[in-house]
Amino acid sequence: MSPWPRYPHWRIWSSAGQGWKVIKGTNADKFPVCFFTSYHSCCKEQTVDLEELGLTFSMKNYTVEITLKQWFKFVGPCVMDLSMKLISENQQQSITTRRKYKDEQIGIWTEAKLIHTTNISGLKSLKFYHGSTCDLVLEDEEEQKRVGTCMAEASLSISFPRPQLTNKS
């Protein structure tokens, strides 16, 4: 609970139950270090300022494909929510792409992926959100400590701009 852990570049929205943790994997694990959510609602987001990365999009009639990837592994009956929100320069227009993961096999690393193609004119920033919670009510405190979702290697890629296709009658 509060005070929530501080992670550079991430804003913590919830850290309930046992809270967010950074844990080390085993030698047999795919990732040596990962975020681990509690069995109960843990979510955070990161805002990526595209101009700070040297990406300015003033070209009209060009599109890019934005891909957000996140590896995750359920440790118990969990649900993971992944979303990205594209924000334009006037802050009025935003596009949110979201996906919930629920039926993946427990204990297996799985790659979550969101892909969105958009016009790049005026695109300023992107918000990346992920969170997880358990599907069941867990009364046993020892079980509460073991159940959650491991998350690792989040990545964002933006394709090279290409001319937007137009419909000609």
Side-chain angles (χ1 to χ4, degrees):
M1 296 298 256
S2 194
W4 294 342
R6 296 202 184 282
Y7 301 111
H9 312 293
W10 289 97
R11 179 177 180 180
I12 305 292
W13 285 107
S14 68
S15 188
Q18 303 294 317
W20 282 101
K21 297 176 186 140
V22 175
I23 62 170
K24 290 185 179 183
T26 65
N27 288 340
D29 224 341
K30 184 176 183 79
F31 301 101
V33 177
C34 65
F35 280 108
F36 184 71
T37 69
S38 173
Y39 70 96
H40 188 63
S41 184
C42 287
C43 60
K44 57 187 171 66
E45 78 176 6
Q46 180 180 38
T47 300
V48 178
D49 185 323
L50 299 173
E51 286 183 330
E52 281 183 16
L53 297 176
L55 303 172
T56 56
F57 299 116
S58 58
M59 298 181 286
K60 294 184 187 285
N61 301 319
Y62 279 81
T63 62
V64 291
E65 184 176 274
I66 299 173
T67 304
L68 178 63
K69 295 179 185 178
Q70 169 74 68
W71 284 92
F72 70 97
K73 174 175 74 170
F74 291 142
V75 182
C78 296
V79 176
M80 187 188 76
D81 191 14
L82 178 67
S83 74
M84 73 172 146
K85 182 176 186 178
L86 306 176
I87 303 168
S88 66
E89 61 191 354
N90 62 12
Q91 299 290 322
Q92 298 302 312
Q93 180 184 8
S94 66
I95 298 166
T96 301
T97 302
R98 172 174 244 148
R99 179 160 180 208
K100 285 192 181 240
Y101 291 85
K102 179 179 178 159
D103 298 322
E104 282 65 27
Q105 189 173 358
I106 292 173
I108 303 295
W109 282 100
T110 304
E111 184 181 45
K113 187 187 299 187
L114 294 177
I115 300 173
H116 184 77
T117 301
T118 187
N119 184 303
I120 61 175
S121 180
L123 187 60
K124 293 293 181 186
S125 61
L126 177 140
K127 284 190 179 187
F128 160 42
Y129 166 95
H130 64 198
S132 182
T133 193
C134 181
D135 253 6
L136 303 174
V137 176
L138 301 177
E139 300 294 337
D140 181 338
E141 287 185 33
E142 288 306 309
E143 188 177 16
Q144 290 174 359
K145 292 177 185 176
R146 290 188 306 272
V147 172
T149 301
C150 298
M151 299 180 186
E153 281 196 16
S155 67
L156 167 68
S157 65
I158 301 174
S159 70
F160 193 79
R162 58 187 175 268
Q164 187 172 345
L165 298 176
T166 57
N167 292 337
K168 293 185 178 182
S169 306

